[in-house]
Amino acid sequence: MAQPTTASDASPALSTDQAGIVAAGHHAGAEPASAHAQLAALTVGYVVREWDTSTLDESMRDGYFGYYVQFRDGAPTLAFPVGQSPVERLAAARILIDYAERPQQPAAPASDSEAQA
């Protein structure tokens, strides 16, 4: 995993949802020093990349904590913003991997009224 290019682990102000994600990481016993090791163990089999989000609109940049994508010809990929704190990154990875590995539910059949529309 590439290390952040900034020397600081300081994160920008977090939204309420992001603060909950970070709190979940703290409650799970993640400390910045051990978050790197936990993240490495958690992401075995995933490509982990950092993404410079400075080109995004500010409203998107401030809300971005990571994303998961499965390319047709490659390993599943997790992308995180450059400079994200290790604890926040670990919490985001847990959420993204949990969602990605959750069994997919089949789409519900359309109701009669929806099918006629």
Side-chain angles (χ1 to χ4, degrees):
M1 177 184 89
Q3 293 298 318
T5 56
T6 59
S8 170
D9 282 338
S11 294
L14 300 175
S15 70
T16 302
D17 290 339
Q18 289 173 319
I21 291 167
V22 173
H26 282 294
H27 288 114
E31 295 297 326
S34 67
H36 289 292
Q38 291 178 40
L39 184 64
L42 180 67
T43 58
V44 170
Y46 290 85
V47 174
V48 177
R49 296 186 180 193
E50 289 191 308
W51 183 31
D52 178 3
T53 58
S54 64
T55 60
L56 291 175
D57 180 84
E58 188 174 339
S59 63
M60 292 178 66
R61 185 174 54 240
D62 291 344
Y64 173 73
F65 68 94
Y67 74 85
Y68 166 87
V69 64
Q70 173 68 53
F71 294 104
R72 289 183 201 173
D73 60 349
T77 300
L78 298 169
F80 302 103
V82 171
Q84 185 177 44
S85 79
V87 173
E88 185 176 9
R89 185 170 293 187
L90 176 61
R94 287 178 176 150
I95 292 167
L96 294 169
I97 291 171
D98 179 60
Y99 180 79
E101 294 181 354
R102 184 178 304 154
Q104 299 300 311
Q105 299 296 323
S111 68
D112 289 339
S113 60
E114 290 174 345
Q116 293 174 0

